[in-house]
Amino acid sequence: MQLTPQAHIQYVAELAAKRSYNEPEFLQAMHEVLDSLVPVLVEHPEFIEAGVLERLIEPERQIMFRVPWLDDQNKVQVNRGFRVQFNSALGPFKGGLRFHSSVNLSVIKFLGFEQVFKNALTRQRIGGGKGGSDFDPHGKSDEEVMRFCQSFMTELYRYIDEHTDVPAGDIGVGAREIGYLFGQYRRLTGRHESGVLTGKGKGWGGAEVRTEATGYGAVFFAQEMLKRTGEDIEGRRAVVSGSGNVAIYAMEKIAQLGGIPVTASDSSGYVVDERGIDIALLKQIKEVERGRIADYAERRQGAHFVANGSVWDVPAELAFPCATQNELDERGARALLDGGVRIVAEGANMPTTPEAITLFQKSGILFAPGKAANSGGVATSALEMSQNAARDRWDFDHSEARLQAIMRDVHDACYVASERYGRPGDYVLGANTAGFVTVAQAMIEQGVV
Ligand code: NDP
Ligand code: 2IT
């Protein structure tokens, strides 16, 4: 006899808990998706029959490798490298590489799992994967970063190519790292294979708007949510966490649309700038000088730095968590609600804890989960792959228009699914179900593999 949807989900959750007992981030991401799926399985009992869930929670392949490199003192350093190829039913594995001291298998698996559904939502025919290393780029010289990237790629190159697996950036991996990784791939293979990585330099295959895409996309998504309630970004204050790629371009788009981003942060604390963050100054400090956020307050009149505080204590109507996982907990959520927040859109992956999400949902504010709101980055990576395959190059305005249209479609797909499964405006339910159905259908059509 077939299990009921509830019992089946319970069975799969227990299976994962047993196998992945030491992977808390992965289990957190998995539960968030499974918790949404009862109404889908009621409608599609064939997904239970075909073992879709059991297959989805197990990566197709996970690769771990040693990354030895020489630091500037000629001392041997050893890091651990990862690539988790999670699901390729919709296309080649696609997802970023993260270089951060906190990286372990659990973190990479949670990111790869999220990526599967996110990529499905973009409708760009890309599967999901993620990789990275516990290498910490902070304080490393350019030469050290280059030697590390070369060693990392010397192992990774045998598992990737434009049709198999296409990495990109994430925390700690930006244009500089993608350049070094691509150079080593080219040297090892003897091929200039543009489509093997995205986020490349614009002079050698990189797409316009890829740098801006995640942050801009998150703001476009928020704009679509507000549109439904007849509201707008103009004139509204925004708290943004982080000061990296996603945060900077979220702030830039908020400002372009007439909003006022008043905060930025990094792992040492946050700055408040009531006049609105000076984006050019922030880019200079973070992108050019690779400095700390405290430097911003020192160079900008009227701004102040709060060491180790919670950015969520700053009142605003819009909130964009754009730093890292679980950075917005229940206490932070309460502070945001007390400060009058109307909308929370996740630029980062899984930045909001489950308890904080529940609080937002109970309070009736608009909440956009990362797998929908931050999908503009990977969607634009897919546009980069298209341009590489066609040996074509689109201009900035065309590329931004494509991104905006994709974010509108992702929003609408989530909203329609939230209505279909009984909770209109619940974007967590909408994103999980819409993404899941797309992948599940492809998996069924392709048989038990
Ligand atoms: P960056 O490396 O450019 O910036 C990361 C920012 O977050 C930095 O300000 C960093 O501060 C801060 N941060 C990182 N880890 C922590 C931590 N443990 N505690 C406090 N602050 C932290 O990364 P991105 O902007 O690319 O990525 C930010 C988030 O967005 C991540 O969750 C990523 O997965 C997600 N994302 C990124 C996409 C992309 O295209 N880049 C696409 C979709 C999602 P510090 O320098 O002090 O570490
Ligand atoms: O989390 C993400 O979606 C990314 N880091 C971007 C992945 C990509 O392949 O562009």
Side-chain angles (χ1 to χ4, degrees):
M1 199 189 71
Q2 189 164 299
L3 293 174
T4 63
Q6 287 87 346
H8 181 64
I9 285 170
Q10 174 82 13
Y11 159 74
V12 172
E14 280 165 14
L15 190 70
K18 202 167 134 205
R19 276 199 191 132
S20 306
Y21 62 91
N22 56 351
E23 296 170 359
E25 290 87 358
F26 168 61
L27 292 175
Q28 181 183 336
M30 184 203 70
H31 276 293
E32 194 219 274
V33 173
L34 290 188
D35 288 350
S36 298
L37 297 184
V38 169
V40 181
L41 298 185
V42 169
E43 194 177 81
H44 294 281
E46 72 276 16
F47 291 166
I48 302 180
E49 184 78 25
V52 168
L53 286 186
E54 294 94 315
R55 287 191 276 150
L56 254 176
I57 59 163
E58 196 58 28
E60 289 182 28
R61 188 172 302 107
Q62 39 193 37
I63 301 145
M64 286 173 63
F65 48 93
R66 180 173 67 207
V67 190
W69 55 281
L70 285 176
D71 68 17
D72 286 346
Q73 284 69 49
N74 266 332
K75 192 168 171 300
V76 175
Q77 301 286 342
V78 179
N79 286 97
R80 188 173 274 187
F82 301 87
R83 187 71 182 169
V84 173
Q85 299 182 329
F86 227 108
N87 193 298
S88 60
L90 297 179
F93 303 106
K94 181 83 195 88
L97 297 171
R98 176 178 291 191
F99 292 169
H100 192 268
S101 51
S102 64
V103 163
N104 56 35
L105 186 60
S106 174
V107 168
I108 298 299
K109 274 185 70 179
F110 114 66
L111 290 162
F113 187 73
E114 287 279 292
Q115 201 81 48
V116 173
F117 305 98
K118 180 194 310 194
N119 294 4
L121 285 171
T122 69
R123 301 202 172 277
Q124 297 298 306
R125 312 251 153 65
I126 40 182
K130 200 83 183 192
S133 174
D134 57 4
F135 174 76
D136 178 5
H138 290 109
K140 303 289 192 298
S141 69
D142 267 0
E143 293 72 24
E144 288 176 321
V145 170
M146 181 174 77
R147 287 194 293 274
F148 175 81
C149 288
Q150 290 175 342
S151 181
F152 185 88
M153 184 53 85
T154 300
E155 193 60 34
L156 184 68
Y157 87 100
R158 54 187 104 239
Y159 307 107
I160 64 173
D161 69 52
E162 63 178 319
H163 302 295
T164 307
D165 185 352
V166 182
D170 193 82
I171 291 176
V173 178
R176 174 182 62 171
E177 290 74 18
I178 293 293
Y180 295 150
L181 290 163
F182 187 85
Q184 185 72 354
Y185 182 86
R186 183 166 63 76
R187 185 170 194 197
L188 287 164
T189 60
R191 288 197 304 271
H192 190 115
E193 186 188 325
S194 303
V196 72
L197 290 169
T198 58
K200 298 180 291 294
K202 284 183 206 159
W204 44 279
E208 290 290 345
V209 183
R210 177 61 191 90
T211 305
E212 295 83 358
T214 312
Y216 278 20
V219 178
F220 288 144
F221 194 95
Q223 204 183 17
E224 292 299 319
M225 292 168 94
L226 285 169
K227 237 190 244 168
R228 288 208 73 267
T229 56
E231 297 167 277
D232 201 354
I233 284 176
E234 196 171 354
R236 292 177 193 266
R237 283 163 60 94
V239 280
V240 180
S241 66
S243 51
N245 173 265
V246 180
I248 288 173
Y249 293 94
M251 290 181 211
E252 184 165 277
K253 185 49 72 182
I254 292 166
Q256 284 173 8
L257 295 174
I260 312 142
V262 291
T263 63
S265 71
D266 64 20
S267 50
S268 58
Y270 68 90
V271 291
V272 185
D273 186 347
E274 292 292 340
R275 285 188 292 162
I277 295 285
D278 178 337
I279 314 275
L281 177 60
L282 186 63
K283 284 184 185 173
Q284 172 64 26
I285 291 169
K286 282 290 176 174
E287 294 184 335
V288 181
E289 299 168 19
R290 298 181 186 275
R292 306 302 294 158
I293 201 63
D295 303 345
Y296 178 93
E298 268 168 32
R299 283 151 71 171
R300 169 89 163 162
Q301 221 184 0
H304 67 277
F305 174 66
V306 182
N308 303 317
S310 166
V311 69
W312 315 120
D313 291 339
V314 178
E317 285 175 282
L318 315 174
F320 291 89
C322 295
T324 193
Q325 64 270 13
N326 293 325
E327 55 165 318
L328 171 48
D329 61 9
E330 204 174 349
R331 200 207 68 83
R334 272 188 215 289
L336 278 176
L337 290 168
D338 289 346
V341 79
R342 288 273 309 115
I343 182 166
V344 178
E346 294 186 331
N349 285 306
M350 206 170 76
T352 315
T353 65
E355 298 76 22
I357 294 177
T358 304
L359 204 58
F360 288 141
Q361 290 182 323
K362 279 194 183 144
S363 73
I365 66 153
L366 295 168
F367 177 78
K371 61 172 76 67
N374 74 35
S375 63
V378 75
T380 306
S381 277
L383 302 181
E384 183 168 320
M385 290 162 71
S386 303
Q387 290 165 76
N388 293 153
R391 297 191 170 278
D392 196 1
R393 226 184 119 203
W394 306 344
D395 67 19
F396 190 95
D397 290 347
H398 175 69
S399 308
E400 190 182 17
R402 286 290 302 265
L403 168 65
Q404 193 164 11
I406 290 171
M407 296 316 295
R408 196 167 46 232
D409 289 347
V410 172
H411 169 275
D412 293 353
C414 294
Y415 192 84
V416 167
S418 76
E419 274 183 321
R420 181 185 184 101
Y421 294 114
R423 292 205 298 273
D426 178 342
Y427 288 91
V428 174
L429 175 73
N432 288 338
T433 53
F436 171 76
V437 168
T438 306
V439 185
Q441 264 158 0
M443 286 174 72
I444 288 207
E445 284 161 20
Q446 294 172 27
V448 179
V449 291

